[in-house]
Amino acid sequence: MAIERILFTTKFREDDYQTLLELTELQKVGLKEIILLHVIPREEVAYVPFGGYLKERALELSEGARLRLKEWEEELQIRGFKVKVMVEIGEPVAKILQVSEEEKANLLVIGRKRSTYHLIPEISERIVSRSNIPVLVYRKIVHFEINGEIFQRENTKVFTKPLFATDFSAPSKRAINFLLNFKDLIEKIFIVHILKEGTFEASTEEALNRIEEEKKAKLCQVLKDFQAHNLKCSIFLGIGDPSKEIIAYAREKESTLIAIGKTGKGLLESILVGSLTKSLLHRSEIPLLIVP
Amino acid sequence: MALPGQELPVFSILPFLGMLLSIALFPLLAPRFWHRHYGKISLFWAVITAIPLWIWFPSETTHTLLHVFLAEYIPFIILLGTLYVISGNIYIQGSFSGRPLFNTLYLLIGTGLASIMGTTGASVVLIRPLLRANANRRSKTHLVVFFIFLVSNIGGSLTPLGDPPLFLGYLKGVPFFWTLNLFYPMILCTASLLFIFYLFDRHLYSKELPKEVVNENNYSFTIKGFHNIIFLIGVPIAILFSGNFHLPSITFLGIDRPLQEWLRDIILIIMGILSYSLTSQDIRDKNEFTFFPIKEVAILFFGIFISMIPALSILQAGKEGPLRSITENLTTPIHYFWITGLLSAFLDNAPTYLTLLSSCLGHFYTDLEVKEALRLLILERPNYLLAISCGAVFFGALTYIGNAPNFIVRSIAEEKGVFMPTFFGYLFKYSLPLLSPLFLLITIIFFRV
């Protein structure tokens, strides 16, 4: 599936425009059309208690958003993109998913809330968990915290050094295929598998070695898949908390993107143990690509 | 340990008036300010009600506040919330065509469902399919207006689930099935309004070109989230259970409540959670479901429940209270019907119902406990309760602010591009000309002495 059409959602955060411009590099891999979407949460203009609907406020907000997006549209058109501007009123998650489906976008790009602890707001989590198309969670400027210290990171050229975290599942295989869309932008790809502590039984060193060998063999197979497309790759097998290990490794290797396949979990399991996707959404300052 | 209403000064009801006037005037005069700050305003009136009461009667106030909160406010919000969630998980799909007969039947069915789903739930679920069915019609305002009359108000009169005032009455001790006594006035209103609606809609329809009303969507009729019907049936069963089984009381924070009432509330919460978790998010998305309206109702009613405490206590004191001149002059069901009604039209109908009910009990049964007084009222003077109930439910349709679902329906309709009249436009063009003759007829038939 080529990346010909992306849906870029904006809440007009200070770096949204810069984030959008960063994505124009996707032109090199076939991007032709960008849909710009701003959703005005229904609660801002509707359900005034015992009042009704704030028609004038809705018009003001819609028109304000449209004017800003028109300016972005002009810049993108100069760069050779076809652009569609959409301003909608509704429940943001539902509306974004509805538009992504109706417009047949190949990639959905959503931002993330600037925060010192929870880097991801609940809304992004809900979009990621329900989207049927790949989602790129990306902001150019991100503030994050390590051991109580606040850092700022500038995410540029996000597709140059992706880290691909695999669990060898079907969604992971789909993620490989999707990542290959960006091969002309990728300089090196880090293929990672983390053995989750406490989830495998290895009472002896010999048993552990056997598991390691088995996983490394699988990693090598993934490596070959990428190398077949002339991509420079390396593999890493780790043990520990998957999201922490993935982020630590990505930081160490100055990776520009973390890509994963979305594994569906039941409601109960998701509540009790969480999911890797959710955990990465909360912890990672590095852009995330989640492929369903 | 109730508050002594006979000792409370008249000015202690000022915060209640402030609360009700805020609901009536802010949405008209400063809607943006109100939209942003209604929570703070509600809390403000609650606080300035409670502080003086605490200073005058510390222990009685604490007890009353806890009682109102635990035994009235929480169950009230749980019921509204549960019905709202369950209703929001049901989606009606079909290639409906907005022809007069269909619209009339739809309103009739909606009116019937309102007593089961609650007016809020029925309004939220049913307004969007009606608007979709009539998407190609030029004239839609009248559809929404009659929908507000029938589904958002009058239809909710047959059970305590239907309309908030009736549930508050149930919490005070009105038997669950007593509200079926409203059947005849309700049928009179419904039949008359549907007849007028059909003629009016047919007239407007005939002026539109046939091609404009054809609905091109080709969906078969489906109710998605059908399993939620089980929960809708479960709600009245839970309420009936709490009214008919007598288990020992449990004391929590000094407030005695029968175990069956706690169980009822827990069952309702569980049904709401199950309904939400067993239903696909896609259905809620199609219904454009959001918790926001019910959150608004919860916040506003917190202020209403607290600020109406002095007014209810004074009115319950009847002839011994400082408002004896008012309570003594309310002597016939006609008085109660029209006073409850007119106040319900411009203030919210739930607190108005309780206020007038308290006044009536205070007038006839000053020295009795509320439940005992209610029992006697139903036995000896049922027409008074009928008048208060009809007034509260029917007159809620008279203005946009009479009942919470009115504003939700208006908001949804306006968002969908339907032109809705202003507050006074609705009042003078639609509700007064159509409803006031009906209310006069009800007075003559049911409440004439």
Side-chain angles (χ1 to χ4, degrees), chain A residues 161-215:
Chain A
K161 285 201 279 181
L163 180 153
F164 173 54
T166 176
D167 60 358
F168 313 114
S169 61
S172 282
K173 282 180 187 153
R174 286 198 291 274
I176 294 172
N177 291 332
F178 192 74
L179 264 178
L180 287 172
N181 283 306
F182 306 101
K183 65 182 178 189
D184 294 338
L185 298 172
I186 294 172
E187 289 172 8
K188 184 175 182 183
I189 188 158
F190 303 96
I191 305 157
V192 174
H193 177 72
I194 305 296
L195 285 165
K196 191 175 178 183
E197 51 194 6
T199 58
F200 56 93
E201 284 185 21
S203 51
T204 62
E205 197 179 330
E206 195 183 326
L208 183 60
N209 285 340
R210 201 169 52 245
I211 293 169
E212 280 181 20
E213 287 309 316
E214 187 191 313
K215 298 292 181 189

Side-chain angles (χ1 to χ4, degrees), chain A residues 42-44 46-57 60 89 94 130, chain B residues 32 34-35 128 281-282 285 288 290 292 296 300 348 401 407 410-411 414-415:
Chain A
R42 177 175 288 114
E43 288 82 359
E44 283 191 26
Y47 302 132
V48 179
F50 294 91
Y53 188 72
L54 296 170
K55 267 181 276 189
E56 287 164 11
R57 175 83 179 135
E60 272 173 28
I89 293 172
R130 294 181 53 203
Chain B
R32 290 189 191 190
W34 172 242
H35 191 35
R128 286 191 177 91
Q281 180 65 40
D282 290 341
D285 286 351
E288 298 180 18
T290 157
F292 198 68
E296 285 178 335
L300 283 173
D348 187 72
I401 56 174
F407 84 81
R410 179 191 177 186
S411 182
E414 285 184 329
E415 191 187 335

Side-chain angles (χ1 to χ4, degrees), chain A residues 273-292:
Chain A
V273 296
S275 70
L276 176 65
T277 311
K278 187 175 169 181
S279 189
L280 285 172
L281 282 167
H282 276 281
R283 288 178 173 152
S284 173
E285 74 281 6
I286 301 163
L288 285 173
L289 176 66
I290 300 113
V291 182

Side-chain angles (χ1 to χ4, degrees), chain B residues 357-434:
Chain B
L357 180 61
S358 299
S359 172
C360 184
L361 297 178
H363 180 76
F364 292 114
Y365 309 102
T366 306
D367 299 324
L368 295 178
E369 283 285 308
V370 174
K371 288 209 170 176
E372 179 58 14
L374 250 176
R375 195 184 66 78
L376 289 174
L377 184 75
I378 289 167
L379 201 67
E380 296 166 0
R381 298 178 173 89
N383 249 19
Y384 284 82
L385 185 56
L386 188 70
I388 294 167
S389 304
C390 288
V393 178
F394 297 167
F395 278 71
L398 209 59
T399 69
Y400 285 134
I401 56 174
N403 196 12
N406 302 6
F407 84 81
I408 296 174
V409 169
R410 179 191 177 186
S411 182
I412 292 169
E414 285 184 329
E415 191 187 335
K416 299 288 173 204
V418 178
F419 170 78
M420 289 301 291
T422 61
F423 179 87
F424 292 107
Y426 175 87
L427 182 68
F428 291 114
K429 198 173 167 190
Y430 292 98
S431 64
L432 274 180
L434 289 166

